[in-house]
Amino acid sequence: MTDAKLDDAAIETTMLRLVAERGADKTVCPSEVARALGGPHPDGWGPLMQPVRRTAVRLAHAGRIAILRKGKPVDPDDFRGIYRLSLPAAGVTS
């Protein structure tokens, strides 16, 4: 995938699918989204981590996912470190 729009669409679709499949009160690691798209080797999924983060922030603003840190929802515009993704209003990490 070389087209940026296609990449964003693929990331969004994959992220929403993985979060939905995991279900309520469960979370997804952002690297799971990147690995689903880029494969198991870090050279494939590593470069996708920033686009995954940007997509997560956008979807959190839209209320379609929640970004969690230490099991608690965070402000999508102000979080650092390790984070997880979940369905909105879920607050328990897996």
Side-chain angles (χ1 to χ4, degrees):
M1 286 188 266
T2 57
D3 180 67
K5 294 279 187 201
L6 183 58
D7 287 343
D8 288 345
I11 292 169
E12 179 176 325
T13 300
T14 301
M15 185 178 296
L16 291 171
R17 178 180 54 82
L18 290 174
V19 169
E21 286 174 355
R22 194 64 48 95
D25 296 329
K26 300 289 183 181
T27 63
V28 172
C29 181
S31 67
E32 291 178 66
V33 178
R35 283 183 175 98
L37 294 164
H41 196 278
D43 289 347
W45 64 264
L48 296 173
M49 290 303 292
Q50 283 304 315
V52 164
R53 184 182 177 102
R54 285 191 299 270
T55 300
V57 168
R58 184 172 49 76
L59 291 174
H61 279 296
R64 298 180 71 192
I65 66 163
I67 299 173
L68 307 176
R69 181 148 160 73
K70 297 183 180 181
K72 306 235 185 279
V74 298
D75 177 352
D77 293 323
D78 187 29
F79 69 98
R80 294 182 183 183
I82 298 169
Y83 66 100
R84 306 278 296 180
L85 307 169
S86 73
L87 293 171
V92 179
T93 58
S94 59

